[in-house]
Structures are given as C-alpha cells and as structure tokens.
Amino acid sequence: MVYRGRIQNGHVVLDAPHELPEGALVEVEVIESTAPHPPSPLLRYAGQAKDLPEDASETIDSLLYQRDHS
C-alpha cells in the first residue's frame, strides 16, 4: 500500500491520516515534482534597478558594499 505525504520540519507528514502500527517498517521514496515551483517573492523586484553597469550581476557584492574612501 502506498501513502503520500510531504516533509515538514524534517518529518514525514502523510496527506491523509492513516493508522499505521507502531514500529512498522516503511520505505520513503522522494518523488520529483513536475509542478512548477512558486515564484520567489524577490522576483517582484526584478527589473526595478536602473542605471546599473552591464556586469552588475557579476559584481553585485562590490556594488552593494562599496564605500567612498575619499
């Protein structure tokens, strides 16, 4: 018999309640989801920055943390 569930906080949580005997041996198989992942909340900022250098994606740390040493 196959029961489906998900991992929550490091534990297997079944989709529907089932009475499994205490100590029952189980086998867990990870199923790759074909459903698209929900978009990251950070995507709402995509394309919002203006006047960045062409290599900004490669030099983002120096752009964010540069200091005026004059």
Side-chain angles (χ1 to χ4, degrees):
M1 187 167 284
V2 175
Y3 301 104
R4 293 203 175 251
R6 299 195 179 346
I7 300 296
Q8 292 179 354
N9 296 321
H11 300 278
V12 176
V13 178
L14 301 176
D15 289 342
H18 298 283
E19 293 292 326
L20 299 175
E22 189 67 29
L25 291 176
V26 297
E27 191 172 284
V28 177
E29 178 182 358
V30 176
I31 301 170
E32 293 297 323
S33 173
T34 58
H37 295 288
S40 167
L42 294 178
L43 283 179
R44 68 177 160 206
Y45 300 109
Q48 299 299 312
K50 306 293 182 219
D51 301 321
L52 293 175
E54 286 186 28
D55 66 346
S57 65
E58 298 168 3
T59 59
I60 190 67
D61 286 338
S62 64
L63 291 169
L64 289 173
Y65 302 111
Q66 65 180 307
R67 293 186 172 85
D68 184 11
H69 295 290
S70 51

